Amino acid sequence: MATKTKNAPVEATQAEGTLETAKKLGLLAAEFERIKEVLGRTPNFTELGIYSAMWSEHCSYKNSIALLKTLPRTGPKILAEAGQENAGLIDIGDGWACAFKIESHNHPSAIEPYQGAATGVGGINRDIFTMGARPIAQLNSLRFGDIANQASSRWHIRGVVKGIGDYGNAFGVPVLGGEAYFDPCYTTNPLVNAMSVGIVRADKVISATSHGVGNPVYIVGSATGKDGIHGASFASKDITGTSMDDLPAVQVGDPFMEKLLLEASLELAQTDAIIGMQDMGAAGIICSTSEMSAKGGCGMDITLDKVPLRQQDMQPWEILLSESQERMLVVVKKGREQEVKDIFDKWDLHCVEIGTVTEGDNLRFFWHGELVAEVPAESLVLGGGAPVYTRERKEPASIAENRKFKTDMVPVPQDLEQVAYELLGSPNIASKRWVSEQYDTMVRTLNMSTNAPSDAGLVLLKEAGGKKALAVTVDCNARYVNADPYVGTMIAVSEAARNIVCSGGEPAGVTNCLNFGNPYDPEVYWQFEQAIKGMSEACIEFKTPVTGGNVSFYNQSLIDGKEVAVFPTPTIGMVGVVEDISKRMTLAFQAKGHLIFLIGKVTDDIASSEYLVKHHNVVNSTAPYFDLAQEHLVHVIVTHLIKRGLITAAHDVSDGGLWTTLVEMGLHNGLGFDIVTDGEIRPDAFLFGEGQGRVVVTITEDQEDGFLDLMRLSKVPFILLGHVTKGKLMVDDESFGFIEDARAVYEDAIPAIMDEH
């Protein structure tokens, strides 16, 4: 139950702010001076707290926005450009739109994995349904340390996966896809990136705006507590040995409350009783009031003592900055208040009027009749008065070291079969079923990837007539990006597009979660700049504009007195449309005797491969072979093959190389393969190299003529590898065991590690 506020003394929060206080709150000396200029006076403590949160990296993107603006943000299917709304919005036809977004919850998950991950899921889903869209799919991209040798990394993965599972399962949206990678650089600072995808009638989208002088402002959903205070600031600094002291900055989630809020919001969206609505995420009330007001060109008067509270004696600044979950701000059309209240009463949720829309752009906050803060909305927000910086950049010395690598520096192993099974047992390659089995993948019964697995998750659009589906994926190989941020990020975008194409879809738009170290480190900022450049070029090539996303800096740890950044990890979330679900494509071998072809250029490249790192212990190498134009041609030909019904399966070659791709294709139906390698290529490179732009397909005898005619016309390289077997795994007439041998290693690797400890 909400508590009544006491008339707590506010003298301390009204005291004039000082430079020392500003610095403690994370503001720079120059920023403190700028605030004084904006206000025409010295801010009080509450106002300093407001600017501290809103000008934090997490809210203002002050060190990234200049580069983010160079990304392609327009396209024929874009309905809302990046930054315009709570999430990206694309046209998927028939009067429907898709809202989607990915965000990080890295720092909270580092110190409290369960709640950190759970509230990340809750927050990203609210961004979707606040727009009036019903979430229909979730995905996640996870990074942890070495789970085989680090107890803390096992603690992280157990808490994060359980948090995602418990919240998502209770909320009732299926997890359709994701990825999990392991590397020592993530030991202290894991990455937890959550993506949500929803659909909405294009004419029913709710905007995150405010206007209309005199219109009432409501807070709806949960009561406000002290959890999450200064969470935005916490997410804008390094994880250190004392970060556990910041534990109160981690929010606490309630998925059942979120489910009620979802249904109430969607019911509200069917009316025309509101002006706008916004989720209270980072920085809570101050963020929602400032962003909605700045967008609508107005101000607000807010009475903080009307806010329903969970805890006694909360100060005004605590109420303003709390990041308590399952709350939203709603601006209602004057005269329609009862209609809105009735909806929230029906769902047993708080719906309390806390203020009104005013003329001008000033936000005024009152506490028991006393004005405790007054700030211009525009001065607080990204794209308005928030600071914008471009930092110093410097190419890391490791990049030059990486370029020195050549494949012939390492020998070809004598026993390729042994290496092949070692790879299948590596946590980065092995099945992630230990993770996915803790998620509900079938709720709402729209997941089309269970009985026929595909490279991207497929979700049926039943509301849009049931003939089309969305294809969704998250991708990034951070090892490639660390080796070469420019090429590695192009590969991340390309792999996402390749996964959607191989599933029968057409890529439509991108959301990104950019996880990097400290932007004040010139080498980190160079990585960020190069990654943005690579992403931009690839998104232009595939006509997949960036609809929004998230930047997460300060992902690094103090280890033995030295700051160590995580691998630069620009996670790409991509959405595509499968226009005809009867033309969707599986990755699974269908029958013994089907011919296996490899489409795309084969190279002697083993750079940055799991094989090179795990078997040869070589950590310095370039990104793998990649050619953007050739990659796109492969996508085009695979699309035509699927549309013309000329293949029975398609699976891209990525982590673990061709060997892993073939094993994954065989597992679903218990089928094997008999292939011949290319005598011009090193056998280890042929089997385990991760050169990009390649797809394995299978065809029947009846499809062969049509397949060969189209491939020859395309001028895209392709070779016959061999054929599907009943279960034997054969390479160059040498036995590599049976598919069930491979299954045992592939599926048992991670459970064995987690069960042992």
Side-chain angles (χ1 to χ4, degrees):
M1 289 292 295
T3 65
K4 291 184 178 179
T5 63
K6 293 183 177 180
N7 197 348
V10 296
E11 289 82 3
T13 63
Q14 289 297 89
E16 190 172 274
T18 64
L19 177 58
E20 183 182 3
T21 303
K23 286 181 176 178
K24 284 181 180 177
L25 291 172
L27 290 163
L28 303 175
E31 291 171 346
F32 180 62
E33 293 303 316
R34 186 168 167 183
I35 293 166
K36 290 197 288 187
E37 286 178 20
V38 168
L39 298 180
R41 56 180 171 80
T42 301
N44 63 33
F45 177 83
T46 300
E47 291 163 341
L48 266 185
I50 286 171
Y51 280 98
S52 166
M54 292 304 296
W55 285 9
S56 70
E57 188 70 50
H58 195 68
C59 290
S60 74
Y61 287 17
K62 57 189 176 186
N63 289 309
S64 60
I65 188 63
L67 289 172
L68 294 177
K69 285 182 175 179
T70 66
L71 291 168
R73 303 198 288 178
T74 59
K77 294 184 178 179
I78 295 292
L79 297 177
E81 287 186 27
Q84 284 187 339
E85 298 293 352
N86 282 317
L89 198 68
I90 57 170
D91 185 357
I92 56 176
D94 303 315
W96 288 88
C98 171
F100 64 107
K101 190 179 184 183
I102 188 169
E103 282 197 340
S104 64
H105 234 224
N106 303 337
H107 284 53
S109 301
I111 63 171
E112 216 303 301
Y114 180 84
Q115 287 294 352
T119 52
V121 171
I124 197 64
N125 278 310
R126 277 196 307 283
D127 278 336
I128 301 305
F129 69 72
T130 301
M131 295 178 69
R134 178 176 289 279
I136 59 172
Q138 296 178 135
L139 302 94
N140 51 70
S141 175
L142 311 175
R143 301 288 188 281
F144 303 101
D146 180 358
I147 57 171
N149 298 303
Q150 287 284 345
S152 62
S153 295
R154 293 190 293 276
W155 175 70
H156 276 139
I157 191 174
R158 284 192 177 102
V160 164
V161 172
K162 184 168 174 53
I164 292 172
D166 284 0
Y167 198 104
N169 296 352
F171 182 60
V173 178
V175 176
L176 255 67
E179 55 175 9
Y181 282 89
F182 308 92
D183 189 275
C185 74
Y186 302 109
T187 298
T188 309
N189 198 139
L191 303 183
V192 178
N193 296 175
M195 180 173 170
S196 182
V197 180
I199 59 169
V200 58
R201 290 291 305 178
D203 59 352
K204 293 289 186 180
V205 176
I206 300 175
S207 183
T209 190
S210 168
H211 54 77
V213 174
N215 281 330
V217 179
Y218 281 76
I219 190 169
V220 302
S222 288
T224 298
K226 293 188 178 185
D227 52 318
I229 293 172
H230 277 306
S233 302
F234 171 60
S236 304
K237 60 185 179 182
D238 295 335
I239 294 291
T240 68
T242 61
S243 290
M244 208 43 107
D245 298 341
D246 293 328
L247 196 58
V250 178
Q251 310 94 327
V252 178
D254 181 346
F256 300 103
M257 179 71 80
E258 176 117 332
K259 180 67 173 171
L260 297 176
L261 193 56
L262 161 69
E263 298 302 337
S265 299
L266 295 184
E267 190 170 328
L268 188 61
Q270 297 309 305
T271 75
D272 64 344
I274 64 172
I275 299 294
M277 178 162 61
Q278 180 160 327
D279 164 43
M280 283 186 192
I285 289 174
I286 186 56
C287 186
S288 300
T289 54
S290 60
E291 290 184 349
M292 292 179 77
S293 296
K295 184 175 179 181
C298 61
M300 286 185 188
D301 280 355
I302 300 293
T303 305
L304 294 172
D305 47 282
K306 289 185 178 180
V307 175
L309 302 179
R310 289 204 306 268
Q311 289 164 271
Q312 296 275 356
D313 299 325
M314 286 186 71
Q315 291 286 336
W317 67 271
E318 293 176 308
I319 298 169
L320 271 172
L321 301 181
S322 168
E323 294 181 13
S324 293
Q325 298 292 286
E326 293 86 41
R327 302 177 304 154
M328 300 197 296
L329 197 73
V330 183
V331 177
V332 179
K333 292 179 180 176
K334 194 169 181 61
R336 306 288 293 276
E337 295 91 342
Q338 194 58 47
E339 194 176 338
V340 173
K341 285 180 183 176
D342 288 346
I343 290 173
F344 285 95
D345 284 346
K346 171 185 171 182
W347 293 100
D348 198 23
L349 294 167
H350 287 300
C351 179
V352 178
E353 183 178 347
I354 62 169
T356 56
V357 178
T358 60
E359 205 168 337
D361 85 327
N362 269 13
L363 300 174
R364 301 197 304 167
F365 298 98
F366 296 88
W367 179 252
H368 296 284
E370 184 178 353
L371 180 66
V372 293
E374 182 172 7
V375 293
E378 185 72 12
S379 73
L380 298 174
V381 300
L382 164 72
V388 176
Y389 303 120
T390 300
R391 296 295 170 197
E392 181 187 348
R393 74 275 284 175
K394 175 189 172 187
E395 181 178 296
S398 60
I399 298 296
E401 190 68 25
N402 294 343
R403 294 188 187 114
K404 295 176 183 176
F405 174 78
K406 299 290 184 288
T407 297
D408 58 14
M409 289 178 176
V410 299
V412 178
Q414 292 295 311
D415 191 341
L416 290 174
E417 182 186 357
Q418 180 187 346
V419 176
Y421 279 85
E422 281 176 5
L423 268 181
L424 291 180
S426 167
N428 282 338
I429 302 299
S431 168
K432 308 304 186 294
R433 280 181 59 186
W434 184 90
V435 174
S436 61
E437 282 178 343
Q438 298 187 50
Y439 305 150
D440 189 336
T441 60
M442 288 307 296
V443 64
R444 298 190 78 235
T445 66
L446 302 178
N447 183 352
M448 303 183 68
S449 307
T450 302
N451 296 325
S454 51
D455 277 1
L458 297 178
V459 57
L460 181 66
L461 294 175
K462 195 177 288 185
E463 292 89 341
K467 291 183 178 180
K468 64 171 66 175
L470 285 179
V472 292
T473 186
V474 287
D475 292 285
C476 180
N477 187 312
R479 185 184 292 146
Y480 300 169
V481 185
N482 192 56
D484 184 331
Y486 170 64
V487 173
T489 307
M490 283 200 287
I491 289 174
V493 176
S494 300
E495 185 179 355
R498 201 187 315 139
N499 284 332
I500 285 174
V501 165
C502 286
S503 304
E506 179 186 353
V510 159
T511 180
N512 58 51
C513 203
L514 308 179
N515 309 275
F516 287 78
N518 189 325
Y520 293 87
D521 179 337
E523 294 187 353
V524 168
Y525 203 75
W526 180 87
Q527 291 174 327
F528 184 74
E529 182 181 55
Q530 292 295 306
I532 293 294
K533 184 181 175 186
M535 187 186 310
S536 186
E537 288 192 25
C539 287
I540 289 169
E541 180 73 25
F542 299 118
K543 296 183 175 60
T544 52
V546 176
T547 63
N550 174 224
V551 177
S552 176
F553 281 137
Y554 302 97
N555 291 294
Q556 50 195 55
S557 308
L558 197 62
I559 301 174
D560 298 328
K562 183 182 177 184
E563 286 190 345
V564 179
V566 301
F567 284 166
T569 311
T571 304
I572 302 297
M574 190 178 286
V575 170
V577 179
V578 181
E579 290 291 346
D580 181 355
I581 57 170
S582 68
K583 295 289 178 70
R584 69 187 187 275
M585 183 51 57
T586 180
L587 62 80
F589 289 152
Q590 294 301 296
K592 176 187 173 184
H594 284 190
L595 296 178
I596 306 170
F597 282 86
L598 176 62
I599 298 174
K601 185 176 180 178
V602 181
T603 64
D604 257 329
D605 198 343
I606 58 172
S608 287
S609 63
E610 187 76 7
Y611 158 67
L612 181 65
V613 174
K614 290 297 167 70
H615 185 76
H616 292 288
N617 296 313
V618 175
V619 294
N620 285 108
S621 65
T622 57
Y625 168 81
F626 176 74
D627 183 300
L628 182 58
Q630 285 296 315
E631 173 88 41
H632 198 178
L633 286 177
V634 169
H635 296 197
V636 171
I637 193 62
V638 171
T639 297
H640 282 293
L641 290 169
I642 292 172
K643 284 183 176 177
R644 298 185 190 191
L646 294 174
I647 58 175
T648 58
H651 189 19
D652 78 316
V653 179
S654 56
D655 308 338
L658 177 63
W659 157 257
T660 300
T661 298
L662 292 167
V663 168
E664 289 174 345
M665 296 180 82
L667 287 172
H668 185 69
N669 291 319
L671 297 168
F673 52 85
D674 185 344
I675 66 163
V676 177
T677 64
D678 186 333
E680 301 292 315
I681 304 292
R682 283 175 50 138
D684 58 341
F686 191 86
L687 291 172
F688 313 129
E690 297 177 13
Q692 298 295 295
R694 295 180 294 157
V695 174
V696 174
V697 300
T698 56
I699 66 170
T700 64
E701 196 175 304
D702 291 342
Q703 293 170 323
E704 187 171 3
D705 288 344
F707 172 82
L708 293 175
D709 288 346
L710 191 56
M711 287 307 304
R712 286 168 185 147
L713 264 176
S714 75
K715 301 288 195 296
V716 173
F718 71 105
I719 56 173
L720 173 64
L721 289 174
H723 63 273
V724 178
T725 68
K726 196 172 180 181
K728 279 185 180 179
L729 308 181
M730 301 290 293
V731 178
D732 292 334
D733 294 327
E734 296 285 334
S735 173
F736 273 50
F738 292 84
I739 192 66
E740 294 309 318
D741 300 327
R743 185 192 306 279
V745 174
Y746 182 77
E747 294 189 351
D748 293 347
I750 291 178
I753 291 169
M754 299 306 296
D755 291 346
E756 275 178 20
H757 305 285

